[in-house]
Amino acid sequence: MKYASIKKYDIANGRGVRVSLFVSGCPHCCKNCFNEEAWDFDYGFLFTDKEESSILEYLQSSYIAGLSLLGGEPLYPTNQEGLLPLLRKVKAQYPEKDIWCYTGYLFDKEIMEEMYQKSEVTREILSYIDVLVDGRFIESKKDPRLYFRGSSNQRIIDVQKSLKVGKVVEICMEGEYINAK
């Protein structure tokens, strides 16, 4: 797996101060994506044990709330395989820190109805993700007033609660669940 960048201190991609990993490669190619250079699966740098160790070290600080995965597309199958060892270690070493993941795939359709049914890797990855921001960026629905999303079609989902109840459970930024579809 390749990655575009690692941000040691990020406050734009999830609650609190976070470590963010931007993976390379995205099949969605959303018009006017903020990170077009990361569409290419060969863009950036090889993700090695060195980068994994750095991320684990960055997460060590008590003021770091957690890890955010962005892209590119973190849930593209080859990226899932590259991320799985990291997520195992993050949850083992830092169970109190949350993991956010940004994906262009829809949680209830493409992820749960397709990937989750076919892939053990997807099932394990989702067991570690606390919050998923799903849906492709749609320029006509762009809204800069939204927290942690680029367009109004995107949802912020409590993954563990959704898996438990078997339906999408969205989170609003005040911390209350806004609906359970």
Side-chain angles (χ1 to χ4, degrees), residues 50-87:
K50 179 180 175 242
E51 286 77 16
E52 184 178 276
S53 295
S54 293
I55 289 171
L56 293 168
E57 181 183 321
Y58 300 156
L59 287 165
Q60 200 170 357
S61 298
S62 61
Y63 60 86
I64 299 293
L67 174 67
S68 291
L69 306 171
L70 304 98
E73 175 55 73
L75 293 184
Y76 190 77
T78 55
N79 285 339
Q80 286 186 46
E81 291 171 14
L83 289 169
L84 186 55
L86 171 66
L87 297 187

Side-chain angles (χ1 to χ4, degrees), residues 109-137:
K109 305 280 187 234
E110 295 153 304
I111 297 171
M112 293 307 296
E113 290 180 8
E114 296 171 26
M115 293 178 190
Y116 191 85
Q117 301 303 320
K118 297 175 185 174
S119 171
E120 289 181 31
V121 173
T122 300
R123 289 191 291 278
E124 187 175 352
I125 287 264
L126 289 179
S127 77
Y128 301 127
I129 295 173
D130 298 290
V131 177
L132 185 82
V133 179
D134 82 335
R136 290 164 179 78
F137 171 73

Side-chain angles (χ1 to χ4, degrees), residues 1-2 10 71 79 95 97 104 116 124 128 137 164 167-169 176:
M1 177 183 82
K2 288 201 168 182
D10 185 359
N79 285 339
K97 297 187 187 271
Y116 191 85
E124 187 175 352
Y128 301 127
F137 171 73
K164 187 176 181 180
K167 57 186 171 183
V168 174
V169 178
E176 298 175 22

Side-chain angles (χ1 to χ4, degrees), residues 98-166:
D98 62 6
I99 297 175
W100 282 51
C101 180
Y102 286 76
T103 181
Y105 295 114
L106 291 176
F107 180 75
D108 44 345
K109 305 280 187 234
E110 295 153 304
I111 297 171
M112 293 307 296
E113 290 180 8
E114 296 171 26
M115 293 178 190
Y116 191 85
Q117 301 303 320
K118 297 175 185 174
S119 171
E120 289 181 31
V121 173
T122 300
R123 289 191 291 278
E124 187 175 352
I125 287 264
L126 289 179
S127 77
Y128 301 127
I129 295 173
D130 298 290
V131 177
L132 185 82
V133 179
D134 82 335
R136 290 164 179 78
F137 171 73
I138 299 174
E139 186 176 30
S140 64
K141 295 183 178 203
K142 181 178 179 176
D143 186 346
R145 297 169 297 172
L146 296 170
Y147 289 108
F148 310 124
R149 304 181 300 286
S151 55
S152 61
N153 61 296
Q154 296 172 313
R155 303 174 294 183
I156 300 174
I157 298 169
D158 182 322
V159 173
Q160 298 312 307
K161 193 165 202 167
S162 296
L163 291 172
K164 187 176 181 180
V165 301

